[in-house]
Amino acid sequence: MAVHNIVVIGASYAGLGTAHYLLRHTIPALEKANSTTKYKLTLISAATHFYHKIGAPRFLASPDLIPLSKAFLPISDGFKRYDEDHFELVIGIATALDEGKTTITVSDTYESASPRTVTYSTIVLATGSSSESPLWSIPGSHEDTIASLKAMQSALPNAKTVLIAGGGPAGIETAGEIASLFPQIDITLLSGGDRLLTRLRPAIGAAAESQASALGVKVVHNLKVTSTSRIGSQTTAALSDGTSRTVGIYVDATGVRPNSAFLPRSWLTEKGYVITKDNTSLRGPADGVYAIGDVAGYSLGGALDIIDAVRPLCSTIFADLAGPNAGGVKPQRFKQTVTETQLIPIGPKGGVGSVFGWQVPSFVVWAIKSRDYMIGKVPGTVNGDSYVKA
């Protein structure tokens, strides 16, 4: 019997959700539609553990607020229900893709084994994005990120100065968490532009600055860090105005880059994101290629661009693979939420944000996100609980 291997690269929010939905619903439906073909899903993950990176600003601030054991969960535990004929987890970093041979070269994350080759029939690119700092994403082993978080937790109680670069959610949330716990620290936040939270309306950015200032954070606009050097326990940051600043702790929260370096250049936009030729179906730049989440060209970088896309993507894959045997089932269409939807905690008691274009009060931010950074949802994310129903 022919085997059709659906490969999902990436095991963060987008990759996990897509893999679970395909295994629970799409693959069983495909095997009914095409009885002469066996379908298998291979999930390629650089790390053995899922990291709930949404909560990083709180994790780094203190070991006492949310245990790291709740933030990092083994990916394999979430897929125990699937049989080996239909599922395989490959731990490694995708380093090359040969479009002609339809193969992916996967290098061992821990460099303890030779690279292996995975052949794909269909591929879903869910590799996400990475940051300069390992605090915000797993660069390879999750142990490196844990070590970085613990180092920050250990350094903060004795720190006198903290410089945070980046006026987006990671930067402002980190400033709020540190200021709430350590009011004695001199904290400076460089927005890098003329205001905070540029993806939201100016009034929300202004409210964020007001809340941060009330906690003692000094917000400086139109100034960027151009380079850093570390001597002993101190970091010297060279600034865009020609000056420099030496601080006890430096936090780089300046943004992300797509994890797409291993892909053919013809598949990517000028900025390195995967081309999605049809944003309602999430079909990618070639037949049998699909993209979802932060690495995809359609994404605005928000959670809804994942949550709202999983089912439409998987239904498109079913329609494409089932062909005339789809029984008239038409794929769902992805409808992107373009109105403001983002919640930014500024300390544990609240924050700022907007939901579907409506600016929300601080207590709503607390109720949804600020009180525990949604840590209770982590097991469900790894287990695919949101996709039990089709």
Side-chain angles (χ1 to χ4, degrees):
M1 182 179 290
V3 177
H4 187 106
N5 191 23
I6 303 173
V7 176
V8 177
I9 308 182
S12 191
Y13 303 96
L16 289 177
T18 301
H20 277 296
Y21 194 97
L22 289 170
L23 285 162
R24 279 183 165 140
H25 307 292
T26 309
I27 286 178
L30 283 169
E31 290 189 337
K32 288 182 181 179
N34 298 326
S35 58
T36 59
T37 301
K38 186 172 188 62
Y39 293 86
K40 174 186 176 181
L41 187 140
T42 300
L43 178 61
I44 299 175
S45 173
T48 58
H49 286 57
F50 168 77
Y51 174 36
H52 184 58
K53 62 182 181 181
I54 290 172
R58 186 157 299 167
F59 304 152
L60 66 82
S62 170
D64 301 323
L65 300 176
I66 301 175
L68 293 182
S69 59
K70 292 185 176 182
F72 294 85
L73 294 184
I75 293 167
S76 59
D77 287 357
F79 291 85
K80 289 180 177 178
R81 66 173 60 85
Y82 308 115
D83 63 74
E84 294 181 358
D85 289 342
H86 287 104
F87 176 73
E88 180 183 7
L89 175 62
V90 175
I91 301 300
I93 300 170
T95 54
L97 184 146
D98 189 317
E99 184 179 5
K101 296 179 180 178
T102 62
T103 58
I104 305 152
T105 301
V106 181
S107 298
D108 184 74
T109 300
Y110 300 93
E111 299 181 350
S112 60
S114 301
R116 62 173 288 184
T117 299
V118 176
T119 301
Y120 67 88
S121 309
T122 294
I123 187 169
V124 179
L125 301 169
T127 48
S129 56
S130 295
S131 308
E132 289 298 324
S133 169
L135 293 169
W136 317 117
S137 59
I138 298 179
S141 166
H142 73 287
E143 294 166 353
D144 294 337
T145 299
I146 289 177
S148 296
L149 291 168
K150 287 185 174 180
M152 187 67 70
Q153 292 171 349
S154 298
L156 279 170
N158 299 314
K160 294 182 178 180
T161 53
V162 172
L163 177 65
I164 302 169
I172 186 65
E173 290 181 27
T174 299
E177 292 295 321
I178 296 175
S180 296
L181 281 174
F182 305 102
Q184 77 278 10
I185 297 178
D186 183 345
I187 303 168
T188 301
L189 174 64
L190 305 183
S191 71
D194 59 5
R195 65 184 181 91
L196 298 175
L197 303 174
T198 56
R199 289 191 176 181
L200 298 174
R201 75 192 75 166
I204 297 178
E209 182 170 346
S210 177
Q211 289 190 26
S213 297
L215 291 171
V217 177
K218 299 172 184 175
V219 180
V220 179
H221 299 297
N222 299 310
L223 192 61
K224 297 181 179 181
V225 173
T226 56
S227 66
T228 60
S229 58
R230 188 172 177 84
I231 300 177
S233 62
Q234 300 288 299
T235 298
T236 297
L239 305 178
S240 56
D241 64 355
T243 64
S244 63
R245 186 174 299 193
T246 299
V247 295
I249 294 177
Y250 171 66
V251 180
D252 187 336
T254 53
V256 298
R257 60 184 181 276
N259 295 324
S260 60
F262 68 99
L263 296 173
R265 191 66 192 86
S266 61
W267 287 15
L268 307 177
T269 67
E270 185 178 339
K271 293 184 177 180
Y273 294 89
V274 179
I275 295 168
T276 43
K277 351 182 244 196
D278 177 359
N279 286 355
T280 63
S281 70
L282 308 183
R283 292 185 180 95
D287 290 343
V289 178
Y290 306 84
I292 184 172
D294 290 358
V295 78
Y298 78 87
S299 177
L300 300 175
L304 292 181
D305 279 345
I306 296 172
I307 296 168
D308 293 344
V310 169
R311 286 177 174 83
L313 168 63
C314 294
S315 71
T316 297
I317 291 173
F318 171 77
D320 289 350
L321 298 185
N325 298 324
V329 176
K330 294 183 179 180
Q332 300 178 35
R333 296 299 179 188
F334 170 60
K335 186 176 181 181
Q336 190 169 37
T337 299
V338 294
T339 52
E340 291 178 322
T341 299
Q342 197 171 44
L343 300 176
I344 300 92
I346 304 175
K349 296 181 179 180
V352 299
S354 177
V355 176
F356 301 120
W358 294 89
Q359 185 171 347
V360 296
S362 182
F363 78 85
V364 172
V365 180
W366 172 83
I368 297 174
K369 187 176 179 181
S370 177
R371 57 179 168 175
D372 64 359
Y373 271 90
M374 301 181 285
I375 196 68
K377 293 183 178 294
V378 176
T381 299
V382 175
N383 295 328
D385 290 355
S386 295
Y387 304 105
V388 172
K389 295 182 180 180

